[in-house]
mmCIF file of all heavy atoms in Angstrom:
data_model
loop_
_atom_site.group_PDB
_atom_site.id
_atom_site.type_symbol
_atom_site.label_atom_id
_atom_site.label_comp_id
_atom_site.label_asym_id
_atom_site.label_seq_id
_atom_site.Cartn_x
_atom_site.Cartn_y
_atom_site.Cartn_z
ATOM 1 N N MET P 265 5.462 0.902 32.926
ATOM 2 C CA MET P 265 4.538 1.099 34.044
ATOM 3 C C MET P 265 3.361 0.133 33.947
ATOM 4 O O MET P 265 2.926 -0.448 34.954
ATOM 5 C CB MET P 265 4.041 2.539 34.065
ATOM 6 C CG MET P 265 5.106 3.557 34.444
ATOM 7 S SD MET P 265 4.485 5.251 34.427
ATOM 8 C CE MET P 265 3.304 5.191 35.782
ATOM 9 N N GLN P 361 1.672 -17.260 -3.999
ATOM 10 C CA GLN P 361 1.838 -16.236 -2.970
ATOM 11 C C GLN P 361 1.561 -14.853 -3.548
ATOM 12 O O GLN P 361 0.967 -13.999 -2.875
ATOM 13 C CB GLN P 361 3.263 -16.298 -2.410
ATOM 14 C CG GLN P 361 3.537 -17.526 -1.570
ATOM 15 C CD GLN P 361 4.955 -17.557 -1.055
ATOM 16 O OE1 GLN P 361 5.873 -16.990 -1.656
ATOM 17 N NE2 GLN P 361 5.166 -18.223 0.074
ATOM 18 N N ASP P 415 6.760 -21.572 15.424
ATOM 19 C CA ASP P 415 6.409 -22.765 16.188
ATOM 20 C C ASP P 415 5.057 -22.535 16.859
ATOM 21 O O ASP P 415 4.912 -21.633 17.689
ATOM 22 C CB ASP P 415 7.505 -23.026 17.238
ATOM 23 C CG ASP P 415 7.311 -24.352 17.963
ATOM 24 O OD1 ASP P 415 6.178 -24.871 17.959
ATOM 25 O OD2 ASP P 415 8.287 -24.852 18.541
ATOM 26 N N ILE P 473 -12.216 -30.177 28.156
ATOM 27 C CA ILE P 473 -11.073 -29.305 27.820
ATOM 28 C C ILE P 473 -9.743 -29.957 28.216
ATOM 29 O O ILE P 473 -8.730 -29.282 28.334
ATOM 30 C CB ILE P 473 -11.199 -27.913 28.483
ATOM 31 C CG1 ILE P 473 -11.416 -28.031 29.995
ATOM 32 C CG2 ILE P 473 -12.292 -27.099 27.843
ATOM 33 C CD1 ILE P 473 -11.414 -26.673 30.700
ATOM 34 N N LEU P 727 -31.593 -53.024 15.449
ATOM 35 C CA LEU P 727 -31.485 -54.424 15.833
ATOM 36 C C LEU P 727 -31.316 -54.579 17.338
ATOM 37 O O LEU P 727 -31.988 -55.410 17.975
ATOM 38 C CB LEU P 727 -30.298 -55.063 15.103
ATOM 39 C CG LEU P 727 -29.993 -56.525 15.484
ATOM 40 C CD1 LEU P 727 -31.141 -57.443 15.087
ATOM 41 C CD2 LEU P 727 -28.682 -56.986 14.839
#
Side-chain angles (χ1 to χ4, degrees):
M265 291 179 66
Q361 290 179 333
D415 187 339
I473 53 175
L727 176 64

